[in-house]
Structure formats: structure tokens, C-alpha cells
Amino acid sequence: MKKIGRNDPCPCGSGKKFKKCHMGREDELNLDGLGEISLEMSATITSLPEVSYGRSREIIDALDIKELTGSSIGVKFVDLKSYIDLNLFGSGRAKASERGSGGILINVYKSTKADPDNIYLAISRDIDDSTLIHEFAHVLDYLGGSRLMPGTLQALSFELDVPVDHLEHLEEFGYWLDYLVGKFDVQLDADDAIISYLYKNEMLLNGKEIQEKNRLILKSKSDRIFKFLSENSQEINSLIRDLPGYMGSREVKD
């Protein structure tokens, strides 16, 4: 695949430089049929052997995705390290890929040419329940919620001056996260427990607001999240201090 320079014209045809347009969310270019991911490249993902790590099979077998989201798309699991080793463009977006542990929802624009009927999750042998639930929440949010794909919002985050976490973990994501926690009796890690706390307090952004890209509204609501976290830092720390992934006080400082 030809490398696009920062100052090259964006392949989407907007007339803007690549760095001012789709840089950081290159996978969205595939939506326009520009061939950034060829059929052969897509097939290298979809031909990876299916795996069943942790509670992945139990969870997918217990979910009626069509009933929940209205979509007939299926979910397949592949090995995270095998996916990373393909060295496809953007395959290492998540911290999980850096250490070969955890899970990644593979951007559908990478797999859809070879298999439009399934979404792919790359997971590691040691994946824990909280990570599985997190990735499943992204799947359900994409199919029956905000329709936003994690890992494609970095450029928008820069444009709006809103943290990418606030754009990826929306009200719709929080809904599905809570639904899955209740259904499968999962203890969330510290980070996801904070997202759940924000959802229950109606503090998360929502997909419609992201789609409208109103910077004033999004920046204002993002700042409100920071303020809320700071004002409630003691309660939050009491909730997460004994959870996996706790790294000390989450108080937000100016």
C-alpha cells in the first residue's frame, strides 16, 4: 500500500492536506471504496483461524445480536498476536497490541471486503472478562448504537480538542457495557468502572452529538466530564481502588 505523506492531498478528495483531513482515521477512507484495503489484504484477516479464549464463546453464544441490535452480523474471534503479526496498516492501535495481551475490535473496513457478514475481534489467550465485555460493548454500540468504530476518531479528537476516550466511550457504549455486566456478572476493571459511573450519572457524550461535530457543545460537555470527575474523585476512588487496573487517585487536576 502506498504511503501517504502528511502534506499530500488527502485521498478522499476534500482538497485538504492529509494531515488536516483523514490522518489518524485512515480506515474511514475505505468507506469511500478507495481501495486502501484490498480484497487480498482483507482475506488475510478473515482467513486467520478462529479461537475461543476466556469466556468469548460463552458470551457470544448467549447473545442474540439480531434481537439486540437489529443486525444479522456475526462475530468471529481471531488470535491477537496472529493479527498483529500481519502488520497491516493500523493493526496496533490499542495498547493491547503493544504487549500482545487483551483485545481489539478490528475495524470493519479491513475485513468487510472478504467477509461482510461478520465482525472480527482479535483477542489474546489471557484475555480477562472485563476486556471481553469492553470489546463486546463496542460491537453492540457499532451495530445498534452510535455506529462509531473505535480507533478511527483520533483526527476528530484533535480537531475538536476533545479526548478520544470521550468520543469512543459514549452514552450508547455505556448502555451496552452496563447491560453486559449485568447479564454476565462481570467485575469491571478500574477504567471501565469509571465509564460505568459516568454513564449512570448521565455524563457521557452521545453518538448524535459526535455525528453533528458541534465543537462548542462537545468541548463544553467534555469539560463537564473532567469537572465531574474532579468533584467526585473521592467517591470514584473508593469505587475503583480494589479493582484490577487501579493506578492511584483519578482526581483531575487543572
Side-chain angles (χ1 to χ4, degrees):
M1 178 165 30
K2 181 181 178 181
K3 181 177 177 60
I4 306 169
R6 288 171 54 85
N7 293 310
D8 290 344
C10 186
C12 75
S14 67
K16 299 179 182 179
K17 291 183 179 180
F18 179 54
K19 66 182 180 182
K20 295 290 188 181
C21 195
H22 273 84
M23 185 174 176
R25 51 191 179 103
E26 294 85 354
D27 290 326
E28 294 179 4
L29 293 171
N30 302 299
L31 190 61
D32 301 322
L34 295 177
E36 290 293 318
I37 299 292
S38 67
L39 176 60
E40 290 75 18
M41 293 175 68
S42 181
T44 62
I45 296 173
T46 61
S47 63
L48 288 172
E50 289 191 64
V51 300
S52 179
Y53 300 150
R55 296 177 66 186
S56 58
R57 183 50 51 190
E58 172 196 346
I59 292 173
I60 192 60
D61 287 347
L63 291 176
D64 188 332
I65 292 179
K66 186 171 185 178
E67 180 179 348
L68 291 170
T69 69
S71 172
S72 57
I73 295 294
V75 178
K76 290 187 175 182
F77 306 96
V78 296
D79 181 73
L80 177 61
K81 186 177 184 303
S82 297
Y83 171 64
I84 296 168
D85 288 346
L86 294 178
N87 199 30
L88 291 176
F89 194 56
S91 64
R93 78 166 169 83
K95 291 182 179 178
S97 67
E98 297 174 4
R99 60 180 184 274
S101 179
I104 298 174
L105 172 56
I106 298 175
N107 195 309
V108 294
Y109 309 132
K110 294 180 181 179
S111 61
T112 192
K113 283 189 178 180
D115 184 5
D117 297 322
N118 290 285
I119 280 179
Y120 285 75
L121 283 173
I123 59 177
S124 64
R125 291 180 180 274
D126 61 350
I127 192 165
D128 57 59
D129 291 353
S130 182
T131 303
L132 267 174
I133 289 299
H134 182 101
E135 297 304 327
F136 268 108
H138 275 310
V139 169
L140 295 175
D141 179 32
Y142 177 74
L143 294 176
S146 73
R147 298 287 299 172
L148 294 170
M149 177 62 58
T152 65
L153 300 170
Q154 292 90 342
L156 183 61
S157 169
F158 180 79
E159 176 186 338
L160 300 173
D161 191 24
V162 172
V164 70
D165 280 350
H166 292 184
L167 301 179
E168 291 190 347
H169 302 126
L170 303 171
E171 178 182 336
E172 296 89 340
F173 173 86
Y175 168 83
W176 290 117
L177 188 68
D178 257 26
Y179 169 81
L180 293 167
V181 166
K183 185 172 181 65
F184 297 103
D185 191 26
V186 170
Q187 180 189 63
L188 294 175
D189 63 23
D191 288 333
D192 280 337
I194 293 174
I195 295 173
S196 178
Y197 181 82
L198 290 170
Y199 168 72
K200 290 173 181 176
N201 284 278
E202 301 181 348
M203 295 300 299
L204 297 175
L205 306 179
N206 63 63
K208 182 179 180 180
E209 292 169 340
I210 304 299
Q211 297 290 353
E212 292 174 349
K213 297 183 181 180
N214 187 314
R215 185 183 184 279
L216 290 177
I217 291 177
L218 292 170
K219 185 68 169 66
S220 174
K221 290 195 170 184
S222 177
D223 290 343
R224 186 181 66 158
I225 292 175
F226 283 125
K227 182 179 180 182
F228 180 83
L229 290 172
S230 180
E231 291 175 343
N232 295 275
S233 60
Q234 290 187 346
E235 180 180 357
I236 292 170
N237 279 303
S238 69
L239 291 173
I240 68 173
R241 66 165 52 99
D242 296 323
L243 298 181
Y246 178 73
M247 301 181 67
S249 173
R250 301 303 175 92
E251 181 175 0
V252 178
K253 300 179 179 180
D254 293 332

